[in-house]
Amino acid sequence: NAGVTQTPKFRVLKTGQSMTLLCAQDMNHEYMYWYRQDPGMGLRLIHYSVGEGTTAKGEVPDGYNVSRLKKQNFLLGLESAAPSQTSVYFCASRKRGQGATGELFFGEGSRLTVL
Amino acid sequence: GNSVTQMEGPVTLSEEAFLTINCTYTATGYPSLFWYVQYPGEGLQLLLKATKADDKGSNKGFEATYRKETTSFHLEKGSVQVSDSAVYFCALSKTSYDKVIFGPGTSLSVIP
């Protein structure tokens, strides 16, 4: 019962460094999402994907790129990290189609600090 | 457009007090409604849901009723415990929507 798995769970970067967060889900869900959570800001959608090979921008996409080469994986990349990207990142997935209720399944989060 | 509004808190209650967290929504048609809970240091997890009008979702002593006439989905619990201290998010979704719409979250602290 792995569900949604995020790696790494913690990372410290220096300004200008790059990194990739990996999200993997084993529920055969079509939709996948990347959110960031900051104190007092709730959840903000960065990018999302409605299926393999497709991605779309959310509310706060600047400074991030994503890829969905395989249905089960959704990668979030930071090409040149900035202190403003210090945050907790959550991946989520959900089922599409008949019988789907819209319920999201979340990973445990990845805490990123950019110095 | 579609949106979710909820009381922002923080809310502080004594143990065994009654809890209400208000949530109202704006959406066309009949969305599914959800309450998610986030315990300190963890990700969000589904607390309860309702998929059609007048449905009541319940879990762990929490309840919420889907009220189409008032476009509301208020979260209630009759007697809160210290272990209920968390952030609670109201949300809506439709199978035809790409995105799930979240409220801003309500922080609850329960003191002994």
Side-chain angles (χ1 to χ4, degrees):
Chain A
N1 289 346
V4 178
T5 303
Q6 295 181 225
T7 53
K9 291 187 170 39
F10 301 94
R11 184 75 188 268
V12 178
L13 289 177
K14 295 181 179 178
T15 297
Q17 287 185 319
S18 64
M19 75 157 295
T20 300
L21 296 174
L22 170 63
C23 177
Q25 52 95 5
D26 61 1
M27 297 171 282
N28 202 35
H29 286 171
E30 290 79 10
Y31 291 168
M32 296 187 75
Y33 305 84
W34 276 108
Y35 293 91
R36 60 178 289 174
Q37 185 177 34
D38 304 290
M41 302 292 289
L43 285 173
R44 292 186 290 171
L45 182 63
I46 305 171
H47 285 281
Y48 65 102
S49 169
V50 300
E52 182 178 325
T54 69
T55 62
K57 295 180 180 179
E59 304 169 61
V60 289
D62 293 343
Y64 304 95
N65 57 74
V66 288
S67 64
R68 182 107 182 261
L69 298 179
K70 294 183 179 180
K71 185 177 184 180
Q72 64 268 33
N73 296 337
F74 194 30
L75 279 63
L76 178 70
L78 286 70
E79 290 187 346
S80 179
S84 60
Q85 295 177 303
T86 293
S87 187
V88 181
Y89 293 85
F90 288 100
C91 178
S93 71
R94 71 179 176 106
K95 182 180 172 58
R96 181 182 67 196
Q98 189 175 7
T101 62
E103 177 184 351
L104 278 172
F105 294 80
F106 282 85
E108 294 182 345
S110 298
R111 183 174 295 276
L112 174 65
T113 301
V114 183
L115 303 175
Chain B
N2 305 308
S3 65
V4 174
T5 303
Q6 63 180 106
M7 54 190 292
E8 294 205 22
V11 174
T12 302
L13 294 173
S14 297
E15 204 165 24
E16 299 184 1
F18 184 85
L19 168 71
T20 299
I21 301 178
N22 290 336
C23 171
T24 57
Y25 69 92
T26 301
T28 57
Y30 295 88
S32 295
L33 301 174
F34 306 86
W35 278 101
Y36 288 87
V37 59
Q38 183 181 29
Y39 298 104
E42 299 183 10
L44 280 74
Q45 56 186 276
L46 181 69
L47 179 60
L48 53 84
K49 66 183 178 186
T51 57
K52 60 182 187 293
D54 299 325
D55 268 2
K56 177 184 285 187
S58 62
N59 186 26
K60 300 182 180 180
F62 291 89
E63 293 183 340
T65 301
Y66 190 148
R67 301 288 188 198
K68 180 67 175 175
E69 64 276 14
T70 55
T71 62
S72 65
F73 193 54
H74 304 321
L75 183 68
E76 296 182 336
K77 186 174 185 182
S79 176
V80 292
Q81 306 300 311
V82 172
S83 57
D84 294 326
S85 298
V87 180
Y88 293 83
F89 293 90
C90 186
L92 71 83
S93 177
K94 291 178 71 173
T95 53
S96 58
Y97 293 170
D98 291 344
K99 303 175 217 177
V100 176
I101 310 299
F102 282 91
T106 301
S107 176
L108 170 67
S109 294
V110 180
I111 55 177

